[in-house]
Amino acid sequence: MPNATEDPLAARILDTLIHRVGKDAKAARPHDWLAATILTVRDDIIDRWMASTREAHAAGAKRVYYLSLEFLIGRLLRDAIANLGRTPEVTAALASLGVDLAEIEEIEPDAALGNGGLGRLAACFMESLATLELPAYGYGIRYMNGMFRQRIDDGWQVELPETWLAHGNPWEFERRESAYFVGFGGDVAANEAGQVHWSPAEAVEAVAVDTPVVGWRGKRVNTLRLWTAVAFDPIRLDQFNAGDHEGALAGQVRAESLVRVLYPADSTAAGQELRLRQEYFFSSASIQDIVRRHVQYFGDIRTLPDKAAIQLNDTHPAVAVAELMRLLVDHHEIAFDAAWEITKATFGYTNHTLLPEALESWPLPLFERLLPRHMQIVYAINAKLLREARKVEGVDDRAIAAISLIDEGGERRVRMANLAFVGAHSVNGVAALHTELMKQTVFADLHRLYPTKINNKTNGITPRRWLFECNPGLTALIRDCIGDAFLDDASALSAFADHAGDAQVQERFDAVKRANKVALVDHLKGVMGLRLDPDALFDVQIKRIHEYKRQLLNILETVALYDQIRSHPERDWQPRVKLFAGKAASSYHNAKLIIKLANDVARRVNSDPSVGGLLKVAFVPNYNVSLAEKIIPAADLSEQISTAGMEASGTGNMKFALNGALTIGTLDGANIEIRDYVGADNIVIFGLTADEVAAKRGGGYEPRAVIEASRELAQAVNAVASGVFSPDDPNRYKDLMNGLYDHDWFMVAADFDAYAAAQRRVDGWWDDQPAWRAAAIRNVAGVGWFSSDRTIREYAEQIWGVM
Ligand SMILES: *Cc1c(COP(=O)(O)O)cnc(C)c1O
């Protein structure tokens, strides 16, 4: 081992290991080295962090607050040192200590405080906010277990707690001094002057836990502030001493249940009340913190909209609208109408879904019992809203019922999307098509009333994590071809297109892709004992398992392909590897069955010698950010095949294209804009459009006839339905297949033939490797616009007024 003290950084890491981790170099295990490295890097980040806060304060700058129930941040070490530009230095320092940086990066827990795209968007946005040097805070919940860890047992999903905090979390700072009282239930009383006083029946303390977020080139460090819950009386000593040991701790257990797990957003099961409690808990703590900071720095609460822009990431924090109103009216004694103007000027709201079952609404009795004062405020806002609406010509009873914050059809419910819409000055969708559909569907009546509120901000991804860090080989190739401008401005990637036809560049591109595939193959051999051929076409669908995302369409096409290869072995088949990964919400029966089907098909296909090496299928367990970082750089084909009109944007689609995979996809979400940017000749589009889907659903769609008319599809559906892939339980997929015959809401049958034909076009293209590589390079060059820096710049200029 070289002398570590010759390297000042190595000396510091060693010192940290001894004095803060409490181990010497001989006894240190990889986790100890990881902690020592993080703590050392963190020390350097803290200086930048404090300077960032001081600068924003001195400038009296307006701050951006991003409220999100999910932050899918993944691992942080590689990101932090890469953004600080210190990867070579840290690698060398650790090497001098006999430690491999890549190895300890790999054992850092993946912070899975989110479900999927919405949570990952929040994480990319935090990084871009720091990169653009905008003072910003992310606010969310510090889940002790977060999203579940997925294991696959005999093909079935098994959900286990994610213990990401088991070794502590060296990134975070607990701020006991930043703690707020959050109440639930109880009574509301008004005095003669009309001042309202809410006396909650119970309360917890929200305590801030801060994580630094480093922007590109370390220019700015922002704060991700996640709330944890503490009971006011963590232990009732009287009860404890009287012998009731468990009862004495009940308060803390109840408080902790607020921050225990993340409920998958589209789960429809129980836990409803706890979920509303979680939403209010973090919204209230965040709004109290924002108001406290504003008053401390600027004195007058009336100037809040000049100094604070609060963005609601979907409706999960929508109760924040009522919470700010409560603080303004009850605590700061501002008149209701004036408070309403302040509130609207402060909030922006991002909508993420048009699926009716995912639009949050709360049973009115539950909302009123838990948040009695907020219920009054919601009624008062609603009265104002409906009075205004009545004055507008053409607003009839039907429109009033649609606009109202209370859904009066059936069981009365509070509509959080309507509350967010009226409480915000800006309401944005996340891709052009989605924004148009918002205007036509969920918010049609509100849009007629407030025609300037809805705007579009197409999602983006950070190129730091999703290109520079996960694909250093491709990054180096691009630098050699076009220089370094794209490192700071992703739109400069467009120059890479000039090299698309260059045989030498193509060869290097192919070598990079192959190396990434070999690395993935090695990884999968380790985790699942699977042998894959890196020269096959890697065809990848990784995302939450949901019927609208149509993993089933892909699986049925796989079954059809399997049939075809066996029936026509003489044809020129291109070897393919079909990779799937994703979690199903724990209460989502069909999604879990689709996971089982993918595994059943994989087992059958992979063990059939008659397909030779031509087709392999794998379902990779526990999809998360770290797994995505390994799979995406190794992908050749990106499956983005949702039922048109149902995927708000997608961001997986952007990551794949940026890493040189071709997309096979429908005209849905951001796929449409991706096609525009990479060129229609460099993407494989198939299937119904959103308008066609709507028309078919309107009537006249007979899936049974469609299935019977397609030989390939009928054979595949019959094989699955009759138990060919589930001989141990032949009826396992009967209901799932009957669903296709009976209603096929997601248009799997309607799109099948077009999809299968598109896959054969892919085969033909892959057979012409120079053409394929040129198209892949054009994809990389074309998607710079989908950088989250561009997205954040648009929010900053057009919604927040901070640029
Ligand atoms: C990007 C990402 C997503 C979103 O993927 P979509 O294909 O857009 O649904 C979900 N999960 C993880 C871990 C991601 O990195």
Side-chain angles (χ1 to χ4, degrees):
M1 196 190 298
N3 188 352
T5 52
E6 283 168 16
D7 180 329
L9 180 60
R12 285 179 53 213
I13 293 173
L14 195 56
D15 187 65
T16 306
L17 181 78
I18 295 166
H19 294 105
R20 288 160 75 187
V21 181
K23 288 278 181 82
D24 68 27
K26 281 215 175 62
R29 316 205 12 122
H31 272 288
D32 302 317
W33 285 114
L34 174 66
T37 307
I38 291 174
L39 289 170
T40 307
V41 171
R42 197 186 73 166
D43 282 346
D44 298 340
I45 293 171
I46 289 172
D47 296 330
R48 221 25 255 142
W49 199 6
M50 291 181 171
S52 298
T53 310
R54 272 196 309 273
E55 285 157 19
H57 190 181
K62 183 170 182 175
R63 288 170 175 75
V64 173
Y65 298 105
Y66 198 79
L67 269 59
S68 179
L69 199 59
E70 303 185 15
F71 286 92
L72 195 52
I73 50 185
R75 292 172 177 153
L76 294 181
L77 178 60
R78 192 200 294 176
D79 197 51
I81 60 181
N83 274 5
L84 293 168
R86 297 180 61 184
T87 307
E89 187 195 350
V90 177
T91 307
L94 284 169
S96 77
L97 295 160
V99 177
D100 178 3
L101 172 62
E103 214 167 281
I104 62 167
E105 278 176 351
E106 200 49 40
I107 59 169
E108 184 181 3
D110 183 291
L113 309 182
N115 249 301
L118 174 149
R120 185 53 231 174
L121 184 77
C124 283
F125 277 9
M126 287 304 299
E127 199 262 3
S128 278
L129 281 160
T131 295
L132 296 185
E133 300 185 71
L134 297 169
Y137 289 76
Y139 279 111
I141 294 179
R142 180 184 177 274
Y143 301 103
M144 296 164 80
N145 297 109
M147 183 64 181
F148 64 81
R149 185 158 59 84
Q150 179 194 58
R151 202 173 67 198
I152 302 295
D153 277 359
D154 187 30
W156 295 100
Q157 166 173 296
V158 177
E159 297 126 34
L160 302 166
E162 180 63 82
T163 53
W164 70 294
L165 295 171
H167 292 271
N169 180 0
W171 287 111
E172 64 184 25
F173 291 86
E174 187 171 302
R175 310 285 194 197
R176 282 277 163 170
E177 74 285 5
S178 290
Y180 298 93
F181 174 103
V182 178
F184 298 97
D187 302 309
V188 180
N191 66 16
E192 279 139 46
Q195 255 338 100
V196 176
H197 185 75
W198 172 30
S199 316
E202 50 172 319
V204 295
E205 197 177 16
V207 175
V209 181
D210 289 349
T211 300
V213 179
V214 185
W216 176 233
R217 300 204 190 273
K219 279 187 243 163
R220 188 180 170 87
V221 180
N222 279 328
T223 303
L224 174 60
R225 173 159 282 192
L226 302 177
W227 300 103
T228 191
V230 178
F232 280 100
D233 249 344
I235 173 164
R236 295 275 309 274
L237 273 181
D238 50 345
Q239 241 172 312
F240 195 86
N241 291 337
D244 181 6
H245 301 149
E246 279 172 27
L249 297 169
Q252 186 57 30
V253 171
R254 202 167 157 74
E256 272 178 15
S257 71
L258 277 172
V259 295
R260 193 41 82 177
V261 295
L262 166 73
Y263 293 101
D266 36 10
S267 151
T268 52
Q272 257 203 12
E273 174 169 342
L274 189 52
R275 170 111 175 171
L276 177 56
R277 281 175 180 266
Q278 287 184 318
E279 293 182 356
Y280 178 65
F281 165 75
F282 103 93
S283 299
S284 172
S286 308
I287 297 297
Q288 290 186 63
D289 199 37
I290 292 165
V291 166
R292 188 232 1 114
R293 185 174 301 111
H294 181 80
V295 172
Q296 183 185 326
Y297 287 1
F298 303 107
D300 184 358
I301 190 62
R302 285 179 169 74
T303 60
L304 184 69
D306 302 333
K307 298 296 179 187
I310 307 178
Q311 192 67 29
L312 303 173
N313 194 25
D314 215 329
T315 57
H316 316 139
V319 70
V321 168
E323 177 69 355
L324 179 59
M325 285 296 288
R326 182 180 75 85
L327 296 181
L328 294 174
V329 173
D330 296 355
H331 290 205
H332 293 269
E333 308 197 356
I334 293 182
F336 191 91
D337 288 354
W340 186 232
E341 295 308 315
I342 294 172
T343 298
K344 282 189 294 185
T346 305
F347 281 107
Y349 156 52
T350 304
N351 173 276
H352 282 273
T353 180
L354 306 170
L355 300 186
E357 69 273 21
L359 282 177
E360 278 190 306
S361 69
W362 297 106
L364 198 135
L366 168 64
F367 195 93
E368 183 154 32
R369 171 164 59 76
L370 224 49
L371 302 169
R373 177 56 181 145
H374 299 78
M375 190 70 245
Q376 292 179 341
I377 289 169
V378 168
Y379 274 127
I381 295 169
N382 204 35
K384 199 172 157 61
L385 167 70
L386 298 186
R387 270 199 303 274
E388 272 176 33
R390 275 287 179 205
K391 288 188 215 144
V392 178
E393 202 170 333
V395 174
D396 54 11
D397 287 349
R398 187 209 52 78
I400 287 287
I403 288 164
S404 176
L405 303 186
I406 314 289
D407 181 354
E408 305 274 358
E411 180 203 32
R412 302 176 77 210
R413 301 178 77 94
V414 184
R415 289 174 173 148
M416 303 312 275
N418 290 31
L419 177 62
F421 190 108
V422 300
H425 66 280
S426 159
V427 176
N428 74 281
V430 290
L433 171 68
H434 167 235
T435 300
E436 279 318 301
L437 293 174
M438 270 167 69
K439 294 178 184 172
Q440 291 165 22
T441 60
V442 269
F443 295 130
D445 292 286
L446 280 163
H447 175 57
R448 227 167 286 130
L449 212 54
Y450 305 104
T452 58
K453 263 195 199 188
I454 296 185
N455 63 90
N456 180 57
K457 299 285 169 281
T458 299
N459 282 167
I461 55 169
T462 167
R464 272 74 65 185
R465 185 177 290 259
W466 296 113
L467 177 58
F468 311 166
E469 293 160 34
C470 73
N471 203 342
L474 180 55
T475 307
L477 171 59
I478 300 170
R479 288 177 79 167
D480 284 352
C481 292
I482 65 169
D484 285 356
F486 76 99
L487 295 175
D488 294 284
D489 172 9
S491 69
L493 279 170
S494 57
F496 195 36
D498 298 341
H499 302 266
D502 180 330
Q504 264 182 329
V505 174
Q506 284 190 7
E507 211 162 286
R508 285 187 63 192
F509 179 88
D510 186 57
V512 167
K513 184 63 84 181
R514 194 170 192 287
N516 293 339
K517 288 164 82 170
V518 167
L520 178 64
V521 166
D522 283 349
H523 177 75
L524 295 181
K525 193 155 78 197
V527 295
M528 359 181 8
L530 194 68
R531 281 174 190 285
L532 299 175
D533 170 12
D535 292 319
L537 186 165
F538 278 25
D539 170 345
V540 182
Q541 188 171 23
I542 52 174
K543 49 183 75 236
R544 284 181 302 124
I545 309 295
H546 200 293
E547 286 163 287
Y548 87 77
K549 291 178 181 276
R550 297 202 295 193
Q551 282 90 357
L552 188 55
L553 177 60
N554 190 348
I555 296 169
L556 287 172
E557 202 279 324
T558 305
V559 169
L561 177 61
Y562 173 54
D563 268 345
Q564 293 280 309
I565 293 175
R566 286 182 304 170
S567 316
H568 304 286
E570 78 290 353
R571 286 190 193 158
D572 189 16
W573 298 105
Q574 301 297 317
R576 271 204 200 222
V577 170
K578 285 257 180 197
L579 287 178
F580 296 87
K583 294 172 183 173
S586 10
S587 59
Y588 191 167
H589 176 261
N590 277 0
K592 290 179 144 177
L593 204 53
I594 288 167
I595 291 177
K596 175 63 173 163
L597 178 58
N599 280 287
D600 277 347
V601 170
R603 189 176 43 194
R604 175 74 194 257
V605 169
N606 296 350
S607 62
D608 188 337
S610 62
V611 295
L614 291 176
L615 182 61
K616 286 271 186 270
V617 183
F619 188 96
V620 187
N622 202 37
Y623 182 49
N624 61 13
V625 173
S626 303
L627 187 59
E629 289 169 336
K630 291 191 177 69
I631 293 179
I632 291 170
D636 296 305
L637 186 66
S638 159
E639 297 270 355
Q640 308 299 338
I641 59 176
S642 51
T643 314
M646 301 197 78
E647 184 75 270
S649 163
T651 48
N653 46 7
M654 302 165 189
K655 298 168 196 166
F656 279 99
L658 186 59
N659 283 275
L662 270 55
T663 302
I664 182 168
T666 47
L667 287 173
D668 198 16
N671 295 353
I672 297 172
E673 290 149 90
I674 291 175
R675 178 199 57 177
D676 294 344
Y677 277 92
V678 305
D681 294 343
N682 299 302
I683 188 168
V684 181
I685 297 290
F686 71 92
L688 300 172
T689 63
D691 286 344
E692 289 164 350
V693 168
K696 271 199 193 300
R697 282 188 182 153
Y701 176 46
E702 287 175 28
R704 183 172 299 272
V706 174
I707 294 171
E708 280 161 7
S710 165
R711 243 175 85 93
E712 272 191 48
L713 175 60
Q715 279 177 3
V717 170
N718 289 338
V720 173
S722 62
V724 167
F725 299 93
S726 54
D728 54 322
D729 179 4
N731 290 323
R732 181 174 294 142
Y733 302 111
K734 266 234 148 67
D735 290 346
L736 193 65
M737 294 300 106
N738 280 337
L740 295 182
Y741 281 113
D742 294 343
H743 48 82
D744 188 24
W745 180 251
F746 300 96
M747 302 283 154
V748 169
D751 272 342
F752 182 87
D753 281 354
Y755 176 58
Q759 289 287 19
R760 302 293 75 80
R761 294 209 298 281
V762 168
D763 284 338
W765 206 344
W766 179 255
D767 199 23
D768 180 357
Q769 278 291 307
W772 180 278
R773 292 171 193 165
I777 290 170
R778 289 198 183 97
N779 268 266
V780 178
V783 292
W785 187 79
F786 297 90
S787 163
S788 45
D789 295 350
R790 185 270 313 156
T791 314
I792 286 296
R793 196 171 289 115
E794 291 180 1
Y795 276 86
E797 288 171 354
Q798 297 162 26
I799 301 178
W800 303 328
V802 293
M803 266 184 117

